[in-house]
Amino acid sequence: MGIDVDSNGDIFICDNQGWMGTPEGRILKLIVTNNKVDTVIEVATGMEHPNGVKVKDNYVFVTQSMLSNVNDSS
């Protein structure tokens, strides 16, 4: 669930670095050149427990197991 490959052969990975209340998770994109990882890019940061990623039609879809409650007057 936490890894997918796009049409260019680049790899997207969920880097889950915490649990509820610790927004340290991120999505990484590993750019592959000649069958080797050339560059690592942070695609998204500040996430709580990202655990699934899917790349489709130039979109990156991510699931998270938990989200802290947000207090918003609207």
Side-chain angles (χ1 to χ4, degrees), residues 4 6 8 12 14 17-18 23-24 29 36 38 42-43 45 56-58 69-70 73-74:
D4 197 18
D6 70 9
N8 296 324
F12 287 76
C14 289
Q17 297 187 31
E24 298 174 10
K29 178 179 180 179
K36 293 185 180 182
D38 182 50
E42 288 184 319
V43 175
T45 60
K56 182 171 172 62
D57 300 329
N58 293 320
N69 291 336
V70 175
S73 60
S74 65

Side-chain angles (χ1 to χ4, degrees), residues 59-72:
Y59 290 95
V60 178
F61 300 90
V62 180
T63 60
Q64 299 186 110
S65 289
M66 295 285 227
L67 292 174
S68 295
N69 291 336
V70 175
N71 294 321
D72 187 329

Side-chain angles (χ1 to χ4, degrees), residues 15-27:
D15 181 20
N16 181 3
Q17 297 187 31
W19 193 247
M20 198 166 125
T22 56
E24 298 174 10
R26 59 191 180 162
I27 304 300

